[in-house]
Amino acid sequence: DRTFGYDTACEVARQAIDSGYVEATTNANCIGLVKLMGRHCGWIAAAASMSSQHVDVCLIPEMKVSLPKLLSHVLAVLGKQKYAVIVVAEGCGDTLISGTGATDAGGNKLLADVGPYLRDAIIAHCKSNRVPVSIKYIDPTYMIRAVPANASDSIYCSVLAQQAVHGAMAGYTGVTVGKVDERYVMLPMHSIVDKGSRTVALTSTTYKRLMAATGQPNFNP
């Protein structure tokens, strides 16, 4: 159903969004721009945006985004509200910007830093339209990774550990413990590894809820 740490990550991410909202609404023509973790999928960005209810635009890696359409919408929101809150997942650095294809020491693909890129693009677009703007940019990545687990995740991890010990004492090997349909089960390792990352389907209820929460249009090119 979910991995351990997900609830904590979403909770701290929402706090970052709320901070961006406060900054945006207490300054004239201000945008709170928050970059959240999510290299290949937008679960944290989507969940944190929906829980915050302050987000005007949420961009996740699963989306195809036309930068001109995005900038036009941001300008329209800014003209109507005099502020805006934008959330962007780090994986959009591979969709909004063309990456180099290089990898780090761990073999992970190096992504272009989408936060500063989007900030500069919005400022340039507003300037060309003679609209004054200030952007408060927030990147809480290391804060999210470093905080202690919340109560929900602490209990979840404890139960996972207990179930893992039960499995080992029973003689099971090559298995991992997880929660499926709210029940703790033992799963063969290959059943998880072979499936790859879970992504936010653009036809899913989660995505539709996100669009309803933000009120943003389709940014497809």
Side-chain angles (χ1 to χ4, degrees):
D1 293 343
R2 60 183 172 85
T3 185
F4 54 87
Y6 177 72
D7 277 357
T8 303
C10 290
E11 184 176 310
V12 180
R14 180 191 58 78
Q15 293 170 8
I17 294 172
D18 289 346
S19 296
Y21 171 75
V22 171
E23 288 291 337
T25 53
T26 53
N27 292 276
N29 274 42
C30 186
I31 295 175
L33 175 59
V34 183
K35 186 183 81 170
L36 297 177
M37 58 174 60
R39 293 177 60 87
H40 306 294
C41 55
W43 288 107
I44 293 176
S49 296
M50 287 188 288
S51 66
S52 173
Q53 292 293 315
H54 296 316
V55 179
D56 299 297
V57 174
C58 178
L59 304 176
I60 58 178
E62 293 86 345
M63 298 167 58
K64 293 181 179 179
V65 179
S66 164
L67 186 59
K69 286 185 179 180
L70 170 62
L71 295 176
S72 295
H73 178 65
V74 171
L75 195 63
V77 171
L78 198 60
K80 181 180 179 180
Q81 299 181 166
K82 306 304 179 186
Y83 74 89
V85 178
I86 302 172
V87 172
V88 58
E90 63 177 326
C92 292
D94 205 31
T95 54
L96 279 173
I97 317 169
S98 297
T100 62
T103 58
D104 61 16
N108 297 310
K109 187 176 182 180
L110 291 174
L111 301 176
D113 197 345
V114 69
Y117 171 82
L118 192 56
R119 177 194 60 197
D120 295 343
I122 293 172
I123 291 175
H125 185 69
C126 288
K127 186 177 180 180
S128 67
N129 286 273
R130 298 183 178 182
V131 175
V133 67
S134 63
I135 295 182
K136 310 300 182 184
Y137 176 57
I138 301 173
D139 182 352
T141 301
Y142 292 105
M143 290 174 59
I144 294 174
R145 289 170 57 176
V147 296
N150 64 12
S152 174
D153 274 324
S154 292
I155 295 171
Y156 189 32
C157 288
S158 296
V159 177
L160 289 177
Q162 291 163 3
Q163 295 294 327
V165 172
H166 291 323
M169 294 296 289
Y172 293 121
T173 59
V175 298
T176 186
V177 180
K179 192 186 250 189
V180 178
D181 294 332
E182 294 301 315
R183 300 178 69 179
Y184 290 93
V185 298
M186 295 181 187
L187 300 166
M189 291 281 194
H190 66 80
S191 68
I192 296 176
V193 175
D194 293 347
K195 288 188 175 181
S197 302
R198 284 181 60 188
T199 57
V200 180
L202 301 185
T203 55
S204 66
T205 302
T206 297
Y207 184 75
K208 292 175 182 176
R209 286 173 178 164
L210 176 63
M211 295 299 100
T214 62
Q216 69 191 59
N218 189 328
F219 295 127
N220 278 346

